Amino acid sequence: MQRYRAMAAMFAGIAITGVAITDIVRAGSLVQTAALAAAAPIQFADVTVSAGIAQPHTGTYFITGQAWGDVDNDGWIDLYLTTAQGANTLYRNRGDGTFAVSAYADQVALADRDSGGVTFVDFDNDGWLDLLVLNDGHDVLLRNTGSGFIDVTASVGLDAHQGRGESAAWADFNRDGYLDLYIVNWFDEDESNPNRQDRLYLNQQGKSFIDVSTVLDPVIMSRPGFAAVFVDFDRDSDQDLYVVNDKLFGNVLWRNDGPGCGVWCFTDVSAITGAQRPAYAMGVAVADYDLDSDYDLYFSSIGESILLQNQLDQGQPAFIDVAADTGVFTTAVSWGTFFADFDNDGHEDLYLATANADPAQSDRLYHNLGQGQFADVSVASGASNPSTTIGAAYADYDGDGRMDFVAGNFNQGYRLYRNISESADQHWLSVDVEAAGRFDAAAVGTEVVLYLDDGANIRRHRHLGSSIGGNHQPALHFGLGQRLVTQLEVIWPDGSKQTHEVTANNTSLTYRYSPEQAIFSDGFEAATMQ
């Protein structure tokens, strides 16, 4: 809490000098909230207790870890939560809206570690989700054998470095079929500590990891980072890397330029694209919020929040800050964040975790109205959590076609919010992708585009890691409103495409890539209803 108080005091001047802007933004938000309260487009219920979630969070390690993944392959997504002091907990989804402590819980508790961020990942492509837990010290990789978890940290080469791990991001940046790893470390006052540097690891066919951090600038990697995400921002069919950094050091966008440069070529394009945007950056979210077919970036900070609109569709690989213009600006101390279509209207809404008990600045939920505008429905929706919320991650844990989420409250515990929005007339589609041979098993980096009967299209991107300290559900969720899908296109991580006719709504589909099929075999159908 000492760090939070220091940050709040540091930015007291900003709140004063920017009072006119703040008052305008806040007044506008309250008017929007009042106008939308009657319609209540999005509604959440706190079901933490009734769902069986009881994970505390204690300690001074300023991060919460929350990750969704189906660890037992029973079709229901499970949940792992961390604490800085004490035992972490793996919850098994019972499939009836409730959770039970997993039979494997003791194997992944790590009660002797100060745990932070976490991700579920199938690093060895064996069909079972493994677990990476970041710690204040040495990180831990737990391999899922199908009948339990075993610690493989040392055997795969991830035990050499120790830092203050906040978040992890995964993608197959070199296209060898295995997911590579970027770990974000944060540092406090001691800027001379060599352990503060982030790390980039190359996956060696699921058997080991090689530290290839030297392909990036070690000075830039030594900034105090909080979160990262791999995303193809320039639409050239490879995975670029965006890292958000604290303390006004500036964020970094590494453009993936392919083979060479010793191991692989990445170019820092932060300054020339406008993605650098110095702030006290903490959480990051990515989505095509304005439906112009490129991916935009939103990140949290202190005294401001930033929405970087990607200008690729407008003809240039650059970003401009449109947070104030679109209605998603706040002066609250903010942390984890993500986009998700909570009311299934086809437009992704925006959630922002904050460390503020003031109802006007507690956790924010911005309803995407389309046409590039958002309305603050935080209080009316029931998502306004007055605690010090750090992390948050979404999943449709009960399978009803409405996106739910879990929020991590520092030094308190976790809350599970069930989406109870009245959207019976709104269509939706959940799309999962799998791969064998050519890509990693989860096909991270795949895009799915839905073409609708009104001529519009909606694009989603599968990424692993973002927000802060965790991961969301892997399946891509599409709200459709009252429209119907005419065609679905899967764009695999190498840019190859497959198109499919779709006649169903309000269901889950899985598309599997097979290496026996031609890369550009449009029309190859491999969908299975779930």
Side-chain angles (χ1 to χ4, degrees), residues 4-14 248 280 302:
Y4 164 60
R5 292 192 187 100
M7 291 189 299
M10 183 187 306
F11 274 83
I14 286 181
L248 300 174
Y280 286 74
I302 304 173

Side-chain angles (χ1 to χ4, degrees), residues 35 214 295 345 347 413 508:
T214 53
Y295 292 107
D345 66 351
H347 300 283
S508 299

